[in-house]
mmCIF file of all heavy atoms in Angstrom:
data_model
loop_
_atom_site.group_PDB
_atom_site.id
_atom_site.type_symbol
_atom_site.label_atom_id
_atom_site.label_comp_id
_atom_site.label_asym_id
_atom_site.label_seq_id
_atom_site.Cartn_x
_atom_site.Cartn_y
_atom_site.Cartn_z
ATOM 1 N N PRO A 90 138.502 102.207 207.787
ATOM 2 C CA PRO A 90 137.878 100.908 207.884
ATOM 3 C C PRO A 90 136.659 100.890 208.817
ATOM 4 O O PRO A 90 135.671 100.177 208.601
ATOM 5 C CB PRO A 90 138.962 99.981 208.376
ATOM 6 C CG PRO A 90 140.010 100.898 208.956
ATOM 7 C CD PRO A 90 139.921 102.174 208.195
ATOM 8 N N GLY A 98 128.571 98.008 206.402
ATOM 9 C CA GLY A 98 128.485 96.659 206.996
ATOM 10 C C GLY A 98 129.425 95.643 206.355
ATOM 11 O O GLY A 98 129.190 94.454 206.450
ATOM 12 N N VAL A 125 124.789 94.974 199.268
ATOM 13 C CA VAL A 125 125.413 95.828 200.286
ATOM 14 C C VAL A 125 124.548 97.089 200.425
ATOM 15 O O VAL A 125 124.238 97.749 199.432
ATOM 16 C CB VAL A 125 126.867 96.208 199.915
ATOM 17 C CG1 VAL A 125 127.450 97.170 200.900
ATOM 18 C CG2 VAL A 125 127.688 94.933 199.758
ATOM 19 N N GLY A 156 121.096 85.163 193.608
ATOM 20 C CA GLY A 156 121.056 84.149 192.540
ATOM 21 C C GLY A 156 119.728 83.568 192.274
ATOM 22 O O GLY A 156 119.626 82.511 191.679
ATOM 23 N N GLU A 178 95.833 71.481 180.064
ATOM 24 C CA GLU A 178 95.454 70.893 178.776
ATOM 25 C C GLU A 178 95.625 71.896 177.630
ATOM 26 O O GLU A 178 96.121 71.563 176.548
ATOM 27 C CB GLU A 178 94.017 70.383 178.818
ATOM 28 C CG GLU A 178 93.881 69.191 179.776
ATOM 29 C CD GLU A 178 92.407 68.843 179.997
ATOM 30 O OE1 GLU A 178 91.528 69.540 179.429
ATOM 31 O OE2 GLU A 178 92.142 67.904 180.776
ATOM 32 N N LYS A 223 94.510 77.618 189.800
ATOM 33 C CA LYS A 223 93.043 77.799 189.788
ATOM 34 C C LYS A 223 92.642 79.196 190.206
ATOM 35 O O LYS A 223 91.754 79.799 189.632
ATOM 36 C CB LYS A 223 92.390 76.749 190.739
ATOM 37 C CG LYS A 223 92.427 75.315 190.242
ATOM 38 C CD LYS A 223 91.737 74.425 191.272
ATOM 39 C CE LYS A 223 91.762 72.967 190.832
ATOM 40 N NZ LYS A 223 91.173 72.054 191.853
ATOM 41 N N MET A 236 90.837 96.788 181.847
ATOM 42 C CA MET A 236 90.640 97.421 180.552
ATOM 43 C C MET A 236 89.635 98.549 180.685
ATOM 44 O O MET A 236 88.580 98.372 181.300
ATOM 45 C CB MET A 236 90.127 96.366 179.507
ATOM 46 C CG MET A 236 91.101 95.272 179.197
ATOM 47 S SD MET A 236 90.308 93.777 178.522
ATOM 48 C CE MET A 236 89.796 92.950 180.035
ATOM 49 N N GLY A 237 89.957 99.669 180.102
ATOM 50 C CA GLY A 237 89.086 100.855 180.201
ATOM 51 C C GLY A 237 88.953 101.534 178.850
ATOM 52 O O GLY A 237 89.941 101.673 178.132
ATOM 53 N N THR A 242 89.762 112.518 177.118
ATOM 54 C CA THR A 242 90.655 112.807 178.236
ATOM 55 C C THR A 242 90.670 111.593 179.173
ATOM 56 O O THR A 242 89.744 110.768 179.159
ATOM 57 C CB THR A 242 90.253 114.052 178.996
ATOM 58 O OG1 THR A 242 88.923 113.872 179.485
ATOM 59 C CG2 THR A 242 90.290 115.295 178.081
ATOM 60 N N GLN A 266 87.738 89.686 175.236
ATOM 61 C CA GLN A 266 87.058 90.841 175.863
ATOM 62 C C GLN A 266 87.316 92.080 175.065
ATOM 63 O O GLN A 266 86.404 92.904 174.813
ATOM 64 C CB GLN A 266 87.583 91.020 177.255
ATOM 65 C CG GLN A 266 86.852 92.070 178.063
ATOM 66 C CD GLN A 266 85.426 91.708 178.406
ATOM 67 O OE1 GLN A 266 84.493 92.195 177.759
ATOM 68 N NE2 GLN A 266 85.259 90.871 179.416
ATOM 69 N N ARG A 283 82.638 88.030 153.653
ATOM 70 C CA ARG A 283 82.651 89.090 154.654
ATOM 71 C C ARG A 283 84.053 89.187 155.258
ATOM 72 O O ARG A 283 84.578 88.174 155.697
ATOM 73 C CB ARG A 283 81.655 88.814 155.746
ATOM 74 C CG ARG A 283 81.647 89.787 156.954
ATOM 75 C CD ARG A 283 80.727 89.218 158.034
ATOM 76 N NE ARG A 283 80.807 89.998 159.261
ATOM 77 C CZ ARG A 283 79.900 90.803 159.721
ATOM 78 N NH1 ARG A 283 78.784 90.973 159.015
ATOM 79 N NH2 ARG A 283 80.030 91.417 160.877
ATOM 80 N N GLU A 285 86.492 91.178 158.057
ATOM 81 C CA GLU A 285 86.565 92.035 159.237
ATOM 82 C C GLU A 285 87.998 92.408 159.528
ATOM 83 O O GLU A 285 88.836 91.554 159.635
ATOM 84 C CB GLU A 285 85.928 91.366 160.432
ATOM 85 C CG GLU A 285 84.427 91.083 160.307
ATOM 86 C CD GLU A 285 83.829 90.545 161.565
ATOM 87 O OE1 GLU A 285 84.583 90.376 162.532
ATOM 88 O OE2 GLU A 285 82.589 90.324 161.622
ATOM 89 N N ILE A 328 110.525 97.847 185.502
ATOM 90 C CA ILE A 328 111.363 98.594 184.584
ATOM 91 C C ILE A 328 112.187 97.665 183.681
ATOM 92 O O ILE A 328 112.214 96.432 183.940
ATOM 93 C CB ILE A 328 112.319 99.535 185.337
ATOM 94 C CG1 ILE A 328 113.234 98.743 186.278
ATOM 95 C CG2 ILE A 328 111.515 100.567 186.149
ATOM 96 C CD1 ILE A 328 114.256 99.600 187.010
ATOM 97 N N LEU A 329 112.832 98.219 182.696
ATOM 98 C CA LEU A 329 113.614 97.383 181.760
ATOM 99 C C LEU A 329 114.809 96.754 182.510
ATOM 100 O O LEU A 329 115.316 97.283 183.499
ATOM 101 C CB LEU A 329 114.154 98.260 180.628
ATOM 102 C CG LEU A 329 113.139 98.803 179.640
ATOM 103 C CD1 LEU A 329 113.876 99.610 178.543
ATOM 104 C CD2 LEU A 329 112.286 97.718 179.029
ATOM 105 N N PRO A 346 114.724 87.961 180.508
ATOM 106 C CA PRO A 346 113.422 87.950 181.166
ATOM 107 C C PRO A 346 113.545 88.194 182.659
ATOM 108 O O PRO A 346 114.434 87.661 183.316
ATOM 109 C CB PRO A 346 112.881 86.563 180.846
ATOM 110 C CG PRO A 346 114.087 85.723 180.598
ATOM 111 C CD PRO A 346 115.084 86.645 179.943
ATOM 112 N N VAL A 392 106.493 99.810 182.268
ATOM 113 C CA VAL A 392 106.731 100.017 180.801
ATOM 114 C C VAL A 392 105.348 100.247 180.140
ATOM 115 O O VAL A 392 104.425 99.459 180.346
ATOM 116 C CB VAL A 392 107.435 98.821 180.193
ATOM 117 C CG1 VAL A 392 107.499 98.959 178.641
ATOM 118 C CG2 VAL A 392 108.848 98.693 180.745
ATOM 119 N N LYS A 408 105.613 114.516 165.652
ATOM 120 C CA LYS A 408 106.682 113.545 165.983
ATOM 121 C C LYS A 408 107.462 113.159 164.706
ATOM 122 O O LYS A 408 108.602 112.770 164.780
ATOM 123 C CB LYS A 408 106.053 112.301 166.615
ATOM 124 C CG LYS A 408 105.608 112.434 168.062
ATOM 125 C CD LYS A 408 105.109 111.151 168.607
ATOM 126 C CE LYS A 408 104.685 111.343 170.062
ATOM 127 N NZ LYS A 408 104.133 110.100 170.643
ATOM 128 N N THR A 431 98.962 126.176 144.720
ATOM 129 C CA THR A 431 98.367 127.511 144.786
ATOM 130 C C THR A 431 97.622 127.693 146.095
ATOM 131 O O THR A 431 97.736 128.729 146.774
ATOM 132 C CB THR A 431 97.418 127.755 143.602
ATOM 133 O OG1 THR A 431 98.129 127.574 142.407
ATOM 134 C CG2 THR A 431 96.798 129.106 143.671
ATOM 135 N N PHE A 456 108.890 111.230 154.562
ATOM 136 C CA PHE A 456 107.635 111.370 155.264
ATOM 137 C C PHE A 456 106.525 110.469 154.668
ATOM 138 O O PHE A 456 105.747 109.924 155.414
ATOM 139 C CB PHE A 456 107.178 112.825 155.294
ATOM 140 C CG PHE A 456 108.106 113.761 156.019
ATOM 141 C CD1 PHE A 456 108.729 114.781 155.338
ATOM 142 C CD2 PHE A 456 108.338 113.577 157.344
ATOM 143 C CE1 PHE A 456 109.630 115.632 156.013
ATOM 144 C CE2 PHE A 456 109.189 114.451 158.022
ATOM 145 C CZ PHE A 456 109.826 115.470 157.359
ATOM 146 N N GLY A 466 92.236 120.787 135.166
ATOM 147 C CA GLY A 466 91.819 122.168 135.449
ATOM 148 C C GLY A 466 92.383 122.728 136.757
ATOM 149 O O GLY A 466 92.160 123.856 137.079
ATOM 150 N N GLY A 468 95.800 121.642 137.874
ATOM 151 C CA GLY A 468 97.183 121.321 137.980
ATOM 152 C C GLY A 468 97.410 120.087 138.849
ATOM 153 O O GLY A 468 96.579 119.191 138.843
#
Side-chain angles (χ1 to χ4, degrees):
V125 176
E178 292 170 1
K223 287 180 181 176
M236 294 159 277
T242 59
Q266 186 69 259
R283 174 189 172 107
E285 295 186 358
I328 60 176
L329 292 181
V392 173
K408 285 182 179 179
T431 302
F456 297 117

